[in-house]
Amino acid sequence: MHTRTVFYISDGTGITAEAFGNAILSQFEFKPRHVRLPFIDTVDKAHQVVRQINHVAEVEGRKPIVFTTLVDMQVLHVVRDGCKGMLLDMFGTFVQPLEKELGIKSLHRVGRFSDVSKSKAYNDRIEAINYSLAHDDGQSNRDLEAADVILVGVSRSGKTPTSLYLAMQHGLKAANYPLIPEDFERRQLPPALVPHRKKLFGLTIQPERLSQIRSERRPNSKYADLLNCRQEVAEAEAMMRRAGIRWLSTTTKSIEEIATTILQEVRPERLEY
């Protein structure tokens, strides 16, 4: 059972409010119910939101927590003055002090995705996503020279989600390639990867965790057998050491942590904006 309802209200997608709010709430050990309310861009919608928040407050007998990134002041006033929740206005908390410090007015632009068709960074991100999807799990060897990074590792070590995260969040063209028994028998990297050794980054994982993950996909199979997982991981790590490939263990790391480590190694300039 959840212990508190948390609302994320925005006149855009609500992604910023949710990401920021979740980062703060992660510091507290409790299980909230999340409600994201995007595109609240009129006074009428604001009144509907207020009624929803107040109904929850009445039913649960405690104040909902309300994170907002509302830009329209009329909409914000309706929510701020009418809701019976604990309101955390992120733009008001940060934008107004920055306006004062910088001596300039903010754009007060609704949503971070405005005018995306004119954004080179956005179009680059879409291109990177398409590239990463086309080069997932070794599907294609074509155009590997265009890759920013090529992830290698045993099956189910986290290559695909990391590749897509790097593409979606940072615009990196990330290919990924599985190391398979044939590679271990030859004790060499897949031939298609050899010319791109400098772009390679390895992912490994504890065999016990790998066995658990694989068992969810193929229970009672050799693929998921712990002994087989131990052998594959050992062979993969030995291959990475021989080839001089940078690598890390994904066992206890989030996708965000894995991606940030890779960025620091291969494209540190992408951590600057």
Side-chain angles (χ1 to χ4, degrees):
M1 287 289 292
H2 68 273
T3 57
R4 187 71 66 97
T5 296
V6 180
F7 288 92
Y8 305 94
I9 305 171
S10 175
D11 31 26
T13 62
I15 292 174
T16 300
E18 189 169 24
F20 193 92
N22 286 345
I24 295 172
L25 293 176
S26 68
Q27 304 300 315
F28 302 92
E29 291 190 0
F30 78 115
K31 187 177 180 180
R33 179 174 73 102
H34 297 261
V35 180
R36 174 148 54 110
L37 300 174
F39 308 120
I40 307 303
D41 50 9
T42 68
V43 169
D44 285 343
K45 290 180 182 179
H47 282 297
Q48 293 174 21
V49 164
V50 168
R51 287 193 291 271
Q52 184 173 348
I53 294 171
N54 292 349
H55 175 72
V56 169
E58 183 177 340
V59 170
E60 296 185 348
R62 60 182 66 192
K63 289 183 177 180
I65 299 169
V66 183
F67 291 97
T68 82
T69 51
L70 294 168
V71 172
D72 188 297
M73 294 307 296
Q74 283 185 302
V75 173
L76 176 60
H77 283 314
V78 171
V79 176
R80 186 168 58 198
D81 296 343
C83 85
K84 297 177 181 178
M86 178 188 178
L87 186 70
L88 298 169
D89 174 17
M90 286 180 276
F91 281 1
T93 301
F94 298 105
V95 173
Q96 291 173 9
L98 278 170
E99 286 179 336
K100 183 177 180 181
E101 176 63 28
L102 297 173
I104 56 177
K105 295 291 290 183
S106 71
L107 298 174
H108 287 267
R109 183 170 56 203
V110 175
R112 67 174 184 172
F113 301 113
S114 300
D115 300 324
V116 292
S117 63
K118 301 176 183 177
S119 168
K120 182 180 184 302
Y122 186 83
N123 290 328
D124 288 347
R125 188 149 41 115
I126 295 299
E127 186 178 339
I129 292 169
N130 288 332
Y131 181 92
S132 296
L133 288 171
H135 292 80
D136 179 44
D137 207 28
Q139 289 182 74
S140 173
N141 297 333
R142 296 179 56 190
D143 201 26
L144 285 178
E145 61 273 9
D148 293 300
V149 63
I150 304 170
L151 303 182
V152 296
V154 298
S155 172
R156 312 304 285 182
S157 58
K159 302 183 300 300
T160 293
T162 302
S163 296
L164 290 176
Y165 184 89
L166 286 167
M168 293 175 69
Q169 296 296 324
H170 299 285
L172 259 67
K173 291 181 177 178
N176 74 78
Y177 216 95
L179 297 176
I180 58 177
E182 287 81 354
D183 300 318
F184 303 143
E185 290 173 7
R186 291 186 295 103
R187 297 175 62 82
Q188 293 180 344
L189 290 170
L193 302 184
V194 174
H196 311 287
R197 191 186 303 263
K198 291 183 179 179
K199 295 183 178 183
L200 300 182
F201 195 100
L203 299 184
T204 188
I205 187 172
Q206 289 181 355
E208 294 76 12
R209 178 59 182 148
L210 180 61
S211 178
Q212 290 175 353
I213 294 171
R214 288 182 172 184
S215 292
E216 293 174 2
R217 189 177 186 185
R218 297 184 198 167
N220 304 315
S221 64
K222 180 183 178 182
Y223 174 73
D225 180 74
L226 180 56
L227 187 62
N228 179 64
C229 290
R230 284 175 176 161
Q231 183 177 358
E232 285 194 25
V233 169
E235 292 283 357
E237 291 181 358
M239 184 181 294
M240 293 174 194
R241 282 192 289 268
R242 287 195 301 270
I245 297 172
R246 298 157 292 184
W247 54 282
L248 63 83
S249 174
T250 64
T251 308
T252 60
K253 289 182 170 59
S254 67
I255 296 298
E256 293 86 351
E257 290 173 310
I258 298 166
T260 299
T261 301
I262 292 170
L263 281 170
Q264 286 178 313
E265 292 287 336
V266 302
R267 295 295 295 272
E269 74 279 3
R270 291 297 179 100
L271 293 171
E272 302 176 6
Y273 296 91

